Amino acid sequence: MAESTKTAKLTIDGKDYDLPVYAGTSGPDVIDIRKLYGQAGVFTYDPGFTSTASCDSTITYIDGDRGQLLHRGYPIDQLAEKSHYLEVCYLLLYGELPSPAQLEDFESRVTNHTMIHEQMMYLFRGYRRDAHPMAIMVGVVGAMSAFYHDSTDISDPWQREVASIRMVAKMPTIAAMAYKYSIGQPFVYPRNDLDYASNFLRMCFAVPAADYEVNPILSRAMDRIFTLHADHEQNASTSTVRLASSSGANPFACIAAGIACLWGPAHGGANQACLEMLQEIGTPDRIPEFIARAKDKDDPFRLMGFGHRVYKNFDPRAKVMKQSADEVLDLLGIEDNPTLQVAKELEKAALADPYFADKKLFPNVDFYSGIILEAMGFPTSMFTPIFALSRTVGWISQWKEMISDPQLKIGRPRQLYHGETLRDYVDIENR
Ligand code: ACO
């Protein structure tokens, strides 16, 4: 961590405490409160961690006011346009864009780890056919620690590396198998001659009875969806991965914890919830009714795919996603897609409404991604698993950074307690 540049003064009951202030390369300064409890006997209170920096990181930076997302300094719109997912994975994991030889080596390592242990097939068969693929993913990814014992020792940098490659490589296989299982089709094995996105599409949509040609435009759109979701600094699931790994848990268990957190509708589950909402709206004439509900304080309904904890101007990923939605529907010859129509009209209506403007609520990455995925043939239940497989590299990069940080401590927040004070146990006959 950099040297303290300034000092913040905190006065409690007339007594002053000096707290060091650190400046990062971007973003607000942070006040170091680590010694505050020892010195002043107080904790800080910050539910939802809206004002708390939980780590010192060099991976991803979001400027919410400018609508900017940078991976190792590179803006996401440039990466989405000029790069591709595996190159972005390399960038996130190792800090720099790869040379051609480094990229070739990395792609070959990922490609050669895409198969999963054959015995893991039996795990899938233990689930009900109608299990949500996210439920299967949480279980199967956690279970990887039971199959890959040679990469669970987190103190060994080589084992950390092998675990990282294994997860980036196997996640598409696991997500595709979860999908195939849910529709009662045979599993399709990965193929080494295909790129990452094409391989995933083939594992999802090929059947042994017929050839499957991957359309390069769909493969590019899939790759973009992976790229746009690759990392997003200290969001809920990433913080979950960091918290789980702070205890020294193995990497597969930690990523399974991240998947569980991502599942929630306020986070990764929003893409499924958003498409379902757009379909429920159905026609543009019903938009005012849904906007009114979103604004009604007595109605828990929110416009899914709108709003973000950090972006308060626009989500740069949503722009690329909107463009991709147009391209994919065009390619597939889907003209006048009613859901896309509703999405565009809803976006226009909400942006023109002072409620959304005043609260700085804009479409987020999930607003258009569901439309693309549906057009590709994915059911809504696969939207969040696709997010999970894309985000795996972000979780792993953050996990690796954390494990090699000499300041690593087990995560252990404090609380403001308002429960009963000490009281004596009452025997059951006296209650
Ligand atoms: N529709 C209607 N009102 C909203 C919405 C929305 N989508 N989002 C926020 N608001 C309102 C809240 O009611 C609140 O109003 P108030 O100040 O009058 O009480 C205000 O805007 C601030 O909202 P918070 O929930 O405090 O903001 P927070 O930063 O905690 O939440 C979140 C961000 C969870 C993303 C929220 O905007 C939301 O629920 N959006 C819908 C779900 C969604 O799309 N999630 C995906 C996020 S992106 C991702 O995970 C990839």
Side-chain angles (χ1 to χ4, degrees), residues 187-198:
F187 298 136
V188 174
Y189 284 80
R191 273 214 351 224
N192 286 4
D193 59 330
L194 293 177
D195 63 73
Y196 194 84
S198 303

Side-chain angles (χ1 to χ4, degrees), residues 229 265-268 270 294-295 297 301-310 312 315 317 355-356 359 361 364-366 387 391:
H229 288 89
H267 192 9
K295 289 158 61 175
K297 282 280 145 240
F301 173 77
R302 284 185 167 199
L303 274 194
M304 299 315 286
F306 256 79
H308 198 274
R309 170 61 62 81
V310 185
K312 299 300 174 193
D315 180 342
R317 303 166 303 171
Y355 172 92
F356 294 91
K359 293 186 189 303
L361 300 169
N364 59 47
V365 67
D366 293 322
F387 189 164
R391 181 55 58 83

Side-chain angles (χ1 to χ4, degrees), residues 29-185:
D29 293 352
V30 300
I31 303 172
D32 182 349
I33 55 161
R34 282 176 293 179
K35 297 201 172 128
L36 184 62
Y37 176 56
Q39 289 171 354
V42 295
F43 299 141
T44 53
Y45 182 61
D46 185 19
F49 311 118
T50 54
S51 300
T52 297
S54 61
C55 60
D56 185 351
S57 183
T58 60
I59 303 172
T60 292
Y61 175 70
I62 303 172
D63 187 325
D65 294 326
R66 285 196 197 142
Q68 205 173 51
L69 165 62
L70 309 179
H71 292 321
R72 306 283 191 186
Y74 297 103
I76 189 66
D77 33 344
Q78 287 184 25
L79 293 172
E81 191 195 336
K82 298 181 178 168
S83 183
H84 59 90
Y85 183 66
L86 280 188
E87 187 177 65
V88 172
C89 288
Y90 186 100
L91 175 68
L92 288 168
L93 286 166
Y94 306 111
E96 293 296 339
L97 286 170
S99 67
Q102 286 168 327
L103 183 60
E104 195 184 322
D105 173 62
F106 179 69
E107 287 183 335
S108 149
R109 280 190 292 146
V110 170
T111 306
N112 285 295
H113 277 90
T114 48
M115 289 201 334
I116 61 168
H117 194 293
E118 193 65 12
Q119 226 172 325
M120 288 180 85
M121 307 284 173
Y122 298 111
L123 275 182
F124 285 84
R125 297 199 174 113
Y127 286 92
R128 279 171 54 144
R129 282 277 173 203
D130 58 357
H132 194 289
M134 281 299 273
I136 300 181
M137 288 197 61
V138 172
V140 172
V141 173
M144 284 174 80
S145 47
F147 288 87
Y148 301 105
H149 297 149
D150 57 346
S151 53
T152 52
D153 178 358
I154 61 162
S155 63
D156 178 349
W158 176 244
Q159 293 203 27
R160 296 205 293 263
E161 177 66 17
V162 175
S164 307
I165 297 287
R166 278 185 170 145
M167 279 189 277
V168 172
K170 295 183 198 310
M171 211 55 87
T173 314
I174 293 170
M177 286 173 71
Y179 172 53
K180 283 298 198 192
Y181 183 76
S182 73
I183 55 170
Q185 287 188 358

